[in-house]
Amino acid sequence: MYVFVKERVESRSFIPEEKIFELLEKTKNPDPARVREIIQKSLDKNRLEPEETATLLNVEDPELLEEIFEAARTLKERIYGNRIVLFAPLYIGNDCINDCVYCGFRVSNKVVERRTLTEEQLKEEVKALVSQGHKRLIVVYGEHPNYSPEFIARTIDIVYNTKYGNGEIRRVNVNAAPQTIEGYKIIKSVGIGTFQIFQETYHRETYLKLHPRGPKSNYNWRLYGLDRAMMAGIDDVGIGALFGLYDWKFEVMGLLYHTIHLEERFGVGPHTISFPRIKPAINTPYSQKPEHVVSDEDFKKLVAIIRLSVPYTGMILTAREPAKLRDEVIKLGVSQIDAGSRIGIGAYSHKEDDEDRKRQFTLEDPRPLDQVMRSLLKEGFVPSFCTACYRAGRTGEHFMEFAIPGFVKNFCTPNALFTLQEYLCDYATEETRKVGEEVIERELQKMNPKIRERVREGLEKIKRGERDVRF
Ligand code: SAM
Ligand code: SF4
């Protein structure tokens, strides 16, 4: 009975649609002084209220907009520094009983080739990822009875236990269908990082239209999916919206209300926010021509406004976006990106599997990991594969970076440098190694002498062959 009560589908929603429309209407043509006040509130490390985010969303004046971009860059630099965490997506299987009109894996798509990795194939994929230098993955599944919580847990367990050369995967995040509390507990038991569920669109009527069949057609089951994850003891949850399905300003407000809901109910907001834009998928007309296309300019604006609205959260930008745009958007507050990604099932170990008919959609940044690393290094970033918090059993790493003075400087940066050094020793091309060594030296020079000395010792250990060194 207890379980039943906890898992009944909630009849209420915490997305107040009328109120969102009202706020977006009421805050049109905002007063510049009010906009600057809101920007300052965010720079002072406060999460914004819906009326404040709506005001920023209504800024059209180019000069004021530039102030928003500048504030997003400042906030990122001031709080999180110049590290960028790298990960890769690993698609485990594309069977799916839902019919999301924008997705290549939808059940009615007869052109897509259905496949689920066998245990052997999964190991091959992990080895291919480890041999690129990856340490952090997000495992991705369609929604299908075959992908039970036990199956998901088993596949994650295999990922963790597949060593290759000097490396292994140290943190596995999950993007899968919403589970029951019991299901989440089974998945949590193998040690996961973040559980991500994207609401796709927070606008109920649009949601119902675009998810006509299958369990995903239940808006509230999905909306409360991460509540159940939290109830099962998964502390790090990731929210997101798929931009292109409905008005982007409404979706940003939806993400904010979701954040506030999690804060109020569990005392902690989302660990990460994702903001994918729809990309073309094979035999999927909706994906070729989404109803609410978001321009690059609006995309930058929404990223900056999410950064300012929820200063404490991690933000994920994927290889769905082209390299040039990614370089620009990263500066607006992004903390994690994927690189060297392949989303065809089995495509890391068999490049020929990276074909449209095996993929959910198309990626626009196909650069290999080493090239992305080099580009980040040249842009002044410190690419990081750090999993120190996760390995020490600490959750909410992004929140700690935000909330604890000195945490980034004294803890994250040293650990980021250790993982960068590992990458340079084991996987980098000559050119990347050279730039990487220069960046490490530059970062060392910024440290106070005591910390610098300890970091140098750690770096030397890595050069001598020790791995998984942590600060
Ligand atoms: N099947 C599970 C689900 O839908 O929650 C989890 C994995 S699904 C493969 C991951 C995400 O891909 C979806 O939540 C959706 O936002 C995104 N997606 C689906 N179709 C897409 C497309 N055509 N372009 C970009 N992203 C897409
Ligand atoms: Fe299935 Fe997820 Fe694609 Fe929807 S988005 S069709 S649930 S894989």
Side-chain angles (χ1 to χ4, degrees):
M1 182 60 188
Y2 177 74
V3 170
F4 173 73
V5 169
K6 286 231 160 180
E7 300 220 19
R8 75 178 194 278
V9 180
E10 298 272 351
S11 56
R12 294 157 302 134
S13 156
F14 50 79
I15 302 297
E17 294 195 359
E18 287 310 313
K19 175 101 186 152
I20 293 177
F21 289 126
E22 198 186 296
L23 285 173
L24 286 171
E25 195 51 43
K26 202 177 90 182
T27 54
K28 278 196 170 143
N29 303 315
D31 171 21
R34 175 70 185 130
V35 172
R36 293 193 179 109
E37 212 175 81
I38 296 168
I39 291 178
Q40 193 52 49
K41 177 176 174 185
S42 172
L43 288 172
D44 291 338
K45 297 176 69 173
N46 297 297
R47 201 255 298 132
L48 300 183
E49 294 301 329
E51 183 266 335
E52 295 164 334
T53 293
T55 305
L56 297 186
L57 288 167
N58 273 318
V59 170
E60 302 290 347
D61 172 63
E63 269 175 43
L64 262 188
L65 256 182
E66 191 41 48
E67 287 181 40
I68 289 180
F69 289 137
E70 196 46 42
R73 288 185 207 108
T74 306
L75 193 69
K76 174 178 162 53
E77 273 169 31
R78 211 187 273 169
I79 300 179
Y80 301 100
N82 55 1
R83 291 159 309 116
I84 295 286
V85 168
L86 288 148
F87 70 95
L90 173 54
Y91 278 68
I92 308 283
N94 63 1
D95 280 325
C96 195
I97 52 173
N98 290 317
D99 212 8
C100 315
V101 301
Y102 45 81
C103 178
F105 293 167
R106 78 207 137 78
V107 65
S108 59
N109 191 359
K110 302 300 173 209
V111 174
V112 84
E113 199 178 296
R114 304 285 167 184
R115 199 167 156 197
T116 302
L117 296 176
T118 62
E119 294 197 355
E120 276 320 302
Q121 289 165 340
L122 174 55
K123 286 178 196 165
E124 267 188 86
E125 286 288 274
V126 176
K127 285 178 189 168
L129 282 158
V130 171
S131 70
Q132 280 187 38
H134 278 295
K135 300 281 185 278
R136 306 170 60 111
L137 297 187
I138 179 146
V139 285
V140 185
Y141 309 76
E143 179 159 2
H144 193 276
N146 289 347
Y147 307 149
S148 63
E150 290 79 5
F151 173 84
I152 293 176
R154 171 86 190 122
T155 50
I156 296 170
D157 206 40
I158 292 172
V159 172
Y160 279 128
N161 287 300
T162 305
K163 314 265 177 221
Y164 189 66
N166 272 343
E168 70 277 303
I169 298 302
R170 298 176 185 159
R171 176 173 172 132
V172 179
N173 299 325
V174 185
N175 189 323
Q179 308 288 321
T180 60
I181 296 174
E182 249 346 279
Y184 283 117
K185 285 185 182 161
I186 293 167
I187 296 170
K188 178 183 155 59
S189 71
V190 289
I192 62 163
T194 312
F195 200 103
Q196 276 186 359
I197 300 174
F198 304 156
Q199 185 61 24
E200 321 297 14
T201 172
Y202 285 94
H203 187 251
R204 183 184 291 269
E205 194 189 315
T206 305
Y207 184 96
L208 297 177
K209 200 173 77 189
L210 302 181
H211 304 94
R213 244 176 300 208
K216 194 161 164 181
S217 58
N218 189 329
Y219 175 97
N220 272 21
W221 177 251
R222 193 162 180 95
L223 190 65
Y224 284 89
L226 292 171
D227 286 52
R228 295 191 299 280
M230 290 270 204
M231 288 180 208
I234 296 175
D235 299 323
D236 286 353
V237 298
I239 64 173
L242 182 58
F243 283 88
L245 304 181
Y246 192 63
D247 173 40
W248 64 270
K249 295 183 183 175
F250 183 94
E251 304 296 14
V252 173
M253 295 297 285
L255 290 167
L256 180 64
Y257 274 104
H258 200 163
T259 298
I260 295 172
H261 166 78
L262 293 172
E263 280 178 14
E264 286 176 350
R265 188 161 185 194
F266 301 101
V268 42
H271 184 62
T272 53
I273 297 183
S274 299
F275 30 87
R277 281 194 294 186
I278 296 185
K279 297 292 161 183
I282 193 165
N283 192 34
T284 305
Y286 187 97
S287 71
Q288 323 276 347
K289 223 171 170 279
E291 245 173 287
H292 296 265
V293 176
V294 179
S295 68
D296 288 356
E297 275 319 300
D298 286 341
F299 186 64
K300 283 184 234 165
K301 198 167 152 186
L302 75 86
V303 173
I305 294 174
I306 294 173
R307 175 69 298 152
L308 294 178
S309 299
V310 194
Y312 63 75
T313 198
M315 288 176 63
I316 302 178
L317 174 67
T318 69
R320 286 174 179 86
E321 304 300 340
K324 195 164 163 292
L325 183 66
R326 288 229 285 180
D327 288 347
E328 249 182 279
V329 172
I330 284 172
K331 299 186 180 120
L332 297 173
V334 169
S335 40
Q336 299 186 27
I337 64 168
D338 59 331
S341 303
R342 293 206 187 137
I343 59 173
I345 316 280
Y348 288 110
S349 44
H350 296 90
K351 193 162 182 341
E352 65 279 13
D353 284 335
D354 203 18
E355 299 175 343
D356 281 350
R357 69 198 163 82
K358 291 176 187 164
R359 279 200 302 226
Q360 191 189 12
F361 49 84
T362 324
L363 292 180
E364 294 195 21
D365 184 357
R367 291 173 299 170
L369 175 60
D370 195 71
Q371 199 179 329
V372 175
M373 294 286 287
R374 194 159 60 242
S375 158
L376 288 171
L377 289 162
K378 285 184 175 165
E379 288 275 325
F381 291 107
V382 176
S384 167
F385 298 93
C386 181
T387 53
C389 283
Y390 169 76
R391 312 271 278 169
R394 279 188 293 267
T395 52
E397 67 204 19
H398 292 305
F399 187 77
M400 284 192 291
E401 291 167 10
F402 167 83
I404 303 174
F407 192 82
V408 169
K409 219 162 91 193
N410 300 328
F411 188 75
C412 305
T413 303
N415 281 314
L417 294 185
F418 290 164
T419 61
L420 174 58
Q421 184 68 67
E422 281 190 346
Y423 178 83
L424 299 181
C425 289
D426 292 338
Y427 310 103
T429 54
E430 198 46 49
E431 200 189 338
T432 305
R433 191 172 308 134
K434 195 163 159 287
V435 203
E437 296 289 359
E438 284 165 17
V439 168
I440 291 179
E441 196 48 47
R442 185 196 69 203
E443 292 299 316
L444 284 168
Q445 292 313 320
K446 291 190 206 159
M447 292 174 180
N448 85 41
K450 262 199 184 145
I451 294 200
R452 188 190 307 143
E453 202 178 312
R454 281 180 56 205
V455 176
R456 274 204 202 279
E457 276 170 30
L459 293 168
E460 284 310 315
K461 281 188 196 166
I462 295 167
K463 286 182 191 163
R464 287 197 301 270
E466 222 176 287
R467 291 292 170 266
D468 206 7
V469 172
R470 275 171 271 154
F471 207 61

